[in-house]
Amino acid sequence: MSNALPWINEELDEIERRGLRRRRRMVEPLPGGRCRIDGREMWNFAGNDYLSLSQDPRVIAAAQQAAAEAGTGATASALICGRTQWHARLEEQLAQFEGTESALLFPTGFAANMGVIVAVVGREDAVFSDRLNHASLVDGCRLSKAALTIYDRNYLSALGEALSAASSVRRRLIVTDSIFSMDGDAAPLADLCELAESHDAMLMIDEAHATGVFGAQGKGFAEFAGVEDRVHFRVGTLSKAVGASGGFVSGSQSLIEWLWNRARPQIFSTALPPPVCAASCAAVDIIRTEPQRRAELLQRCTDFRAALIAEGFATIPAAVAPIFPILLDDPQLAVQTAAALEERGFLVGAIRPPSVPPGTSRLRITLSWAHDRRVIEDFTTALSDVLRDVALGS
């Protein structure tokens, strides 16, 4: 074998020097919003299990039953023979939940976003992407080969001008997260709908961090904003508030038929394991029948956000989701602060470039329904103490 890989160690050394190297470690999930790392139990304020459904006994029992009946894997793509009765049930249930004619499963939310974009626009088209969109949307836009415009949701007049300039192309697609995963704020969906309608453009939203959390029925931020019927493509994930894994698209029967025939990540991937589908079915049922979970979660989010602002922390006041960034700018400082919180029994995310733009490294704190007020108060005290110590140390 030729010695063609010495550059890897050189690049790793450079990432290390900049404080951006990531290392793998094992995290053992525990019930009640907790986890264990290196033998130490701590509260998990880093995950996306917003409704604490991944550990719900009813969800686990559903997965166990499906595993006993259908095995642990789908063994093939859905297009060939991997679409079992559990997949069909979940797709039907998701369509009913979302209030659409049909729904289609994907192996991940990442695959769903990429699959939709590449299936609906190409070289003859134009795509418009928010500058802070998730990597799956960014990569989908790039892979589509459509002419790409990056817009800032705080300056939508520029997006309107870009749409006008692209009036002669075959198709125009606006792509956005509904809730932004690193900032926790929401896209201006009503304004984007207006722009899409006035410029004959399609609108696609990723509800990854909104499904199960927002809206009277828990369908997401489009429901909360009252624009469900004005959005052409609604993508959701099963790996966050639903507590399982996978992604899905809901929409008209013709849209789902098109994606079934054209969405390559869905066509060429092994289907979700049947136990995952069964777990998702049970979780969606709970989301539908226990609205108090999201109501209680969002109230705790409101209270926690008010506490952060009162303490003077550098957060994002416009955030609305169970996602709370504490901006620290320096990547090494973010890692050190997260480590100090772990010593106090709290796991949070230390987010650095390229996950966020340079100069915006942060703690990413998330709340779960399993975090009661006492735990949140204890965490707020620990956070205040650690950030004070960091400030004194700097």
Side-chain angles (χ1 to χ4, degrees):
M1 181 183 298
S2 65
N3 185 25
L5 299 179
W7 61 270
I8 290 181
N9 288 332
E10 294 172 5
E11 293 291 337
L12 285 173
D13 290 342
E14 174 62 16
I15 293 172
E16 181 81 42
R17 185 188 67 78
R18 294 162 56 196
L20 301 178
R21 186 166 182 175
R22 292 152 169 80
R23 288 178 170 82
R24 294 185 294 176
R25 64 177 177 177
M26 186 178 71
V27 179
E28 178 186 352
L30 299 172
R34 296 178 67 82
C35 64
R36 184 181 290 114
I37 301 176
D38 298 329
R40 294 178 56 237
E41 282 195 26
M42 61 188 71
W43 290 101
N44 188 347
F45 280 80
N48 299 318
D49 190 12
Y50 299 127
L51 298 179
S52 194
L53 292 178
S54 70
Q55 295 285 336
D56 189 285
R58 295 165 291 181
V59 175
I60 294 171
Q64 291 171 333
Q65 178 184 345
E69 294 180 6
T72 58
T75 75
S77 70
L79 191 68
I80 303 301
C81 63
R83 187 173 183 266
T84 69
Q85 69 270 31
W86 295 104
H87 298 80
R89 287 179 197 174
L90 179 54
E91 287 176 339
E92 181 179 354
Q93 187 171 359
L94 287 169
Q96 293 174 352
F97 174 69
E98 294 285 345
T100 58
E101 291 180 348
S102 190
L104 182 64
L105 294 172
F106 283 76
T108 63
F110 201 115
N113 280 332
M114 287 185 58
V116 171
I117 295 171
V118 175
V120 300
V121 291
R123 294 181 185 275
E124 302 174 63
D125 308 311
V127 64
F128 306 83
S129 176
D130 188 286
R131 69 184 183 89
L132 293 181
N133 272 344
H134 188 266
S136 57
L137 296 172
V138 173
D139 287 358
C141 291
R142 291 171 175 168
L143 285 171
S144 74
K145 307 300 184 184
L148 174 61
T149 297
I150 306 298
Y151 70 86
D152 187 328
R153 59 186 176 279
N154 297 310
Y155 303 97
L156 288 184
S157 59
L159 174 57
E161 293 170 1
L163 286 163
S164 295
S167 60
S168 62
V169 304
R170 183 182 61 169
R171 299 177 193 143
R172 289 157 296 285
L173 174 66
I174 303 170
V175 176
T176 185
D177 286 301
S178 66
I179 296 293
F180 291 89
S181 62
M182 292 297 130
D183 287 358
D185 61 341
L189 292 186
D191 293 336
L192 291 173
C193 287
E194 291 288 343
L195 283 170
E197 290 160 2
S198 61
H199 292 279
D200 192 27
M202 301 174 288
L203 176 60
M204 171 184 170
I205 65 172
D206 177 11
E207 295 265 39
H209 293 273
T211 299
V213 176
F214 289 97
Q217 305 299 319
K219 292 187 281 185
F221 206 77
E223 180 193 14
F224 179 84
V227 298
E228 288 177 276
D229 296 336
R230 302 171 68 187
V231 176
H232 301 86
F233 309 104
R234 287 176 12 223
V235 179
T237 183
L238 304 170
S239 61
K240 296 177 175 63
V242 178
S245 184
F248 67 92
V249 180
S250 58
S252 66
Q253 186 64 44
S254 58
L255 166 63
I256 299 307
E257 286 296 318
W258 175 256
L259 295 176
W260 178 256
N261 284 276
R262 287 292 183 268
R264 291 168 63 86
Q266 196 273 344
I267 293 171
F268 295 103
S269 296
T270 298
L272 287 170
V276 170
C277 295
S280 299
C281 284
V284 171
D285 260 341
I286 295 170
I287 290 171
R288 182 179 55 83
T289 59
E290 298 183 10
Q292 71 274 13
R293 282 187 180 241
R294 56 183 169 274
E296 292 168 3
L297 171 64
L298 291 175
Q299 183 58 57
R300 291 171 199 165
C301 288
T302 298
D303 296 342
F304 182 55
R305 187 170 293 109
L308 294 180
I309 294 171
E311 290 281 349
F313 297 147
T315 187
I316 297 177
V320 295
I323 300 167
F324 303 85
I326 303 294
L327 303 177
L328 297 172
D329 299 337
D330 181 71
Q332 292 178 333
L333 184 59
V335 173
Q336 293 166 4
T337 306
L341 283 167
E342 284 190 30
E343 290 299 316
R344 292 172 176 259
F346 299 98
L347 177 67
V348 301
I351 309 299
R352 300 161 285 166
S355 300
V356 292
T360 68
S361 291
R362 65 194 65 188
L363 302 180
R364 180 182 183 269
I365 300 161
T366 56
L367 291 195
S368 163
W369 179 75
H371 298 142
D372 62 26
R373 294 186 184 279
R374 180 191 59 79
V375 171
I376 295 172
E377 288 172 1
D378 290 347
F379 173 72
T380 305
T381 299
L383 178 64
S384 180
D385 290 345
V386 167
L387 290 176
R388 183 185 62 248
D389 292 344
V390 166
L392 291 174
S394 62

